[in-house]
C-alpha cells in the first residue's frame, strides 16, 4: 500500500472535463485515414482488442477496422460491456485467447484500452506461450492504481476492491515474458499517467502521446500509428519505437517519457 507521501492523485477536474476532446481525436483519425494506412503492414497474425471499463466492443471497432485494413486478423472480445472484475474474468479471457490461438495456429497480440490493458498484461503472464506481444493504451497497472477518477465506480460495479489481490496486481505491474508497450498521455483525465508507466527494458517501452485524452486514446491518430508500428514487429523481435514518422510531433522524446 502506498504511504501518504507516495500516494498519487487522480487527474484534476479540469483534465476530466477536457475528456470531451475525444470526439475531436476520432474525427482527426477519420480525416487522416489515408495517412494512417501508410503504417507498416501486418503479417496476418491474430490481434485481440480488449475494451476499457464500462466500454464494449463498439469502442474498439475503429481500432479493429484499422488493423484489419493493415492486414491483421482482428478479434473482438464478445463479452458485452466491461463491468470490471480482473480476477473474475481471468478464466474466460484465457479460454478466449486459447480458442483464437488454436483456431489460427498463431500467437495472439493483445491490445487493451484502459482496464482492457490490465487484462492483457495478466493474460501475458498466464499464457506467454500463446501471446505474441502486449500493447496497452492508458492502462493503470503500475504504482498507486487508485489514482484514477473511476476507482470508486469500478469497485461498486465489479464487486472488487483495488486493495484486493495484491499479489496479482504486483505481478501485472512487473516485467512481462513477452514484448510490451504502454501508450499513455500526461493529459489523461481519467487515470494518473504515472500509473501507466512500465519499466523500460530490451523488450518493453513507454510511448507518450502528447495532448491525448483517455477516452480518445484508442482512436487518436498518433496512438493508432504507434499500435500498428508495434504490432508489425516480427514475432520474437523488439526494437524501440521510431518517433520520426508522420506523427512525430505528437510523441514526447523517450527520455521525457519516464520523467516525473
Amino acid at each position: 500500500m502506498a504511504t501518504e507521501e507516495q500516494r498519487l492523485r487522480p487527474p484534476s477536474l479540469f483534465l476530466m472535463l477536457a475528456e470531451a476532446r475525444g470526439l475531436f481525436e476520432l474525427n482527426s483519425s477519420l480525416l487522416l485515414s489515408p495517412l494512417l494506412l501508410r503504417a507498416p503492414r501486418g503479417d496476418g497474425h491474430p490481434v485481440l482488442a480488449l475494451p476499457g471499463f464500462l466500454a464494449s466492443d463498439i469502442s474498439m471497432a475503429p481500432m479493429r477496422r484499422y488493423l484489419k485494413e493493415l492486414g491483421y486478423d482482428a478479434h473482438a472480445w464478445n463479452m458485452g460491456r466491461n463491468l470490471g472484475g480482473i480476477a473474475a474474468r481471468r478464466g474466460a479471457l484465457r479460454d478466449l485467447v486459447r480458442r483464437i490461438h488454436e483456431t489460427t495456429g498463431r500467437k495472439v497480440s493483445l491490445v487493451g484500452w484502459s482496464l482492457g490493458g490490465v487484462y492483457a498484461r495478466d493474460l501475458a503472464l498466464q499464457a506467454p506461450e500463446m501471446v505474441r506481444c502486449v500493447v496497452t493504451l492508458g492502462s493503470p497497472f503500475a504504482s498507486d492504481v487508485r489514482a484514477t477518477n473511476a476507482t470508486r465506480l469500478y469497485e461498486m460495479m465489479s464487486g472488487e476492491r483495488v486493495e484486493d489481490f495484491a499479489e496479482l496486481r504486483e505481478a501485472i505491474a512487473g516485467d512481462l515474458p513477452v514484448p510490451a508497450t504502454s501508450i499513455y498521455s500526461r493529459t489523461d483525465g481519467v487515470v494518473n499517467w504515472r500509473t501507466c508507466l512500465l519499466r523500460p527494458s530490451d523488450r518493453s517501452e513507454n510511448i507518450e502521446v502528447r495532448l491525448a485524452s483517455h477516452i480518445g486514446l484508442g482512436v487518436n491518430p498518433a496512438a493508432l500509428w504507434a499500435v500498428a508500428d508495434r504490432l508489425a514487429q516480427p514475432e520474437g523481435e523488439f526494437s524501440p519505437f521510431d518517433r520520426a514518422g508522420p506523427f512525430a510531433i505528437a510523441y514526447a522524446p523517450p527520455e521525457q517519457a519516464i520523467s516525473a
Side-chain angles (χ1 to χ4, degrees), residues 154-259:
Y154 171 84
E155 292 178 333
M156 181 179 69
M157 298 295 291
S158 69
E160 292 183 359
R161 296 188 310 158
V162 173
E163 288 83 2
D164 295 338
F165 315 108
E167 186 174 339
L168 174 59
R169 289 190 293 106
E170 183 176 349
I172 292 172
D175 295 335
L176 297 185
V178 302
T181 297
S182 175
I183 300 172
Y184 72 98
S185 174
R186 296 192 189 214
T187 53
D188 190 313
V190 178
V191 308
N192 186 307
W193 62 272
R194 294 172 181 81
T195 67
C196 304
L197 298 181
L198 52 72
R199 187 182 70 85
S201 69
D202 58 358
R203 60 178 182 179
S204 63
E205 66 183 333
N206 299 294
I207 301 174
E208 179 187 347
V209 179
R210 291 184 170 123
L211 303 179
S213 67
H214 185 82
I215 64 172
L217 197 54
V219 293
N220 180 288
L224 288 173
W225 180 278
V227 170
D229 180 271
R230 299 294 78 197
L231 293 178
Q233 296 180 102
E235 184 174 339
E237 297 183 19
F238 185 89
S239 58
F241 177 59
D242 182 3
R243 290 164 169 78
F247 298 99
I249 193 172
Y251 307 117
E255 64 269 16
Q256 293 183 12
I258 59 173
S259 63

Side-chain angles (χ1 to χ4, degrees), residues 93-142:
L93 285 168
R94 185 175 59 249
D95 290 344
L96 173 58
V97 171
R98 180 179 294 111
R99 287 196 299 272
I100 297 173
H101 175 62
E102 291 177 350
T103 300
T104 63
R106 304 185 70 177
K107 289 187 176 182
V108 185
S109 288
L110 306 175
V111 178
W113 192 349
S114 193
L115 180 60
V118 180
Y119 294 157
R121 290 182 63 85
D122 183 42
L123 281 167
L125 292 171
Q126 291 188 71
E129 73 283 359
M130 295 187 287
V131 175
R132 176 163 167 162
C133 71
V134 171
V135 180
T136 60
L137 297 136
S139 298
F141 57 81

Side-chain angles (χ1 to χ4, degrees), residues 7-77:
R7 195 177 299 279
L8 301 176
R9 294 180 179 274
S12 67
L13 178 61
F14 171 78
L15 283 177
M16 187 167 63
L17 293 176
E19 283 291 307
R21 70 190 186 278
L23 181 60
F24 172 77
E25 292 171 271
L26 173 59
N27 290 335
S28 296
S29 290
L30 295 175
L31 290 171
L32 295 170
S33 57
L35 181 59
L36 283 168
L37 290 175
R38 296 183 186 177
R41 304 289 301 180
D43 61 2
H45 79 269
V47 180
L48 175 60
L50 300 169
F53 179 51
L54 297 182
S56 68
D57 284 323
I58 294 175
S59 69
M60 302 298 290
M63 174 76 72
R64 295 197 309 275
R65 184 165 55 249
Y66 175 55
L67 294 179
K68 286 179 180 178
E69 289 286 340
L70 290 177
Y72 295 96
D73 179 19
H75 293 256
W77 85 331

